[in-house]
Amino acid sequence: MARKKIIAGNWKMNMTPSQAVELINTLKPLVKNDDVDVVFCVPAIDIIPAVEAVKDTNIHIGAENMYFEEKGAFTGEISPEMLVDAGVKYVIIGHSERREYFAETDETVNKKVLKAFEHNLTPIVCCGETLTQREQGVTIDFIRQQIKVAFLNVSAEQAAQAVIAYEPIWAIGTGKVATTQQAQEVCKAIRDCIGEIYDEATAAAIRIQYGGSVSASSAPELFAQADIDGGLVGGASLKADFGQIVNYDK
Ligand code: PGA
């Protein structure tokens, strides 16, 4: 069965609650495409008004992060149950900015992935190499390590539902998009790695996105690759361009 594409916006630390509603109202008519799962991952404080604003549309709301404990004395954190209760379906886990600025590791990513599945949230698990790693030729080894730790103790059934976002760090917010070949090569290596950890069926089911300076002009070729099932889009998800990205095949 063909995998359904999933195209997600990652708003990062942009948009106040009222700006979020305004942006959703602008993008709503532009991101209609029933062949694609469309997700807006928004700042935590925007989630409730965003869920309200996307009612009766094809847009799903995602979170940009969550904590791996159920509840309790973790000042400032957001629990999976809070996300679910607010109407969230997807959650980005282990974005490179979280790893770099907020000390997230492969181990905390794994804890969050397990916790997300416990609550029926679909994790968008991020991985990606630095420019140095790419130049040293260790990209594939490094990504395989990230994936293996992120999926420790995750069942095949769960993994088949997961989304992985391959985002080379050097391509994020830099305007330097990976070449189609580079993106496809790593996404295929990720699928092969999932096949080794689990089985063919799980590898065939899991959805793998490319992220890093995706634009309306680069999306069509990237998303046409055999192992690229959509994108995680930062900057361009805050503009009308996101409508073109979601309708990359039109
Ligand atoms: P970008 O961000 O599209 O602005 O490069 C992508 C991301 O960080 O998810």
Side-chain angles (χ1 to χ4, degrees):
M1 209 178 68
R3 290 181 295 272
K4 191 174 183 187
K5 294 271 196 271
I6 175 162
I7 300 178
N10 172 12
W11 287 13
K12 309 195 178 186
M13 197 173 74
N14 295 294
M15 301 292 142
T16 65
S18 51
Q19 289 168 340
V21 171
E22 213 175 297
L23 179 60
I24 288 169
N25 287 333
T26 307
L27 292 180
K28 241 194 277 198
L30 307 177
V31 299
K32 279 191 189 145
N33 184 351
D34 290 338
D35 301 333
V36 169
D37 284 332
V38 179
V39 186
F40 289 8
C41 297
V42 305
I45 199 164
D46 296 346
I47 287 172
I48 289 175
V51 167
E52 183 62 33
V54 302
K55 266 200 187 129
D56 303 318
T57 74
N58 60 322
I59 305 166
H60 297 285
I61 294 300
E64 299 177 12
N65 180 35
M66 62 163 226
Y67 201 48
F68 52 72
E69 294 287 354
E70 286 297 326
K71 60 157 119 176
F74 304 102
T75 303
E77 292 296 321
I78 307 272
S79 76
E81 193 186 0
M82 293 171 190
L83 296 182
V84 171
D85 189 62
V88 164
K89 301 273 183 272
Y90 295 86
V91 56
I92 299 175
I93 305 280
H95 188 279
S96 61
E97 287 151 16
R98 303 263 351 142
R99 295 176 190 253
E100 183 178 352
Y101 306 127
F102 304 99
E104 294 210 10
T105 62
D106 290 344
E107 287 70 28
T108 59
V109 167
N110 177 238
K111 286 185 184 176
K112 291 181 177 192
V113 169
L114 290 167
K115 196 45 97 175
F117 278 121
E118 252 181 62
H119 290 268
N120 288 319
L121 286 161
T122 300
I124 300 178
V125 187
C126 299
C127 61
E129 81 286 4
T130 63
L131 188 56
T132 311
Q133 288 167 327
R134 176 156 288 273
E135 286 170 354
Q136 290 176 339
V138 299
T139 297
I140 304 284
D141 288 344
F142 179 73
I143 303 279
R144 284 172 54 88
Q145 164 88 8
Q146 285 188 317
I147 295 299
K148 285 184 179 175
V149 180
F151 282 82
L152 266 178
N153 300 319
V154 173
S155 71
E157 204 183 14
Q158 290 170 332
Q161 301 296 319
V163 178
I164 295 175
Y166 165 56
E167 301 201 303
I169 294 169
W170 49 271
I172 295 177
T174 57
K176 250 193 249 168
V177 59
T179 67
T180 310
Q181 290 72 19
Q182 286 171 329
Q184 161 60 21
E185 184 199 11
V186 179
C187 289
K188 177 174 191 309
I190 292 170
R191 197 176 305 285
D192 290 346
C193 183
I194 292 292
E196 285 168 36
I197 303 170
Y198 301 101
D199 48 51
E200 286 282 308
T202 309
I206 198 167
R207 292 187 290 178
I208 305 174
Q209 300 172 313
Y210 167 79
S213 298
V214 171
S215 65
S217 59
S218 62
E221 202 180 302
L222 283 164
F223 300 170
Q225 301 307 302
D227 291 292
I228 303 181
D229 306 312
L232 183 57
V233 183
S237 72
L238 299 168
K239 301 186 285 189
D241 296 42
F242 196 58
Q244 281 170 268
I245 294 174
V246 167
N247 289 288
Y248 68 97
D249 59 343
K250 303 274 154 51

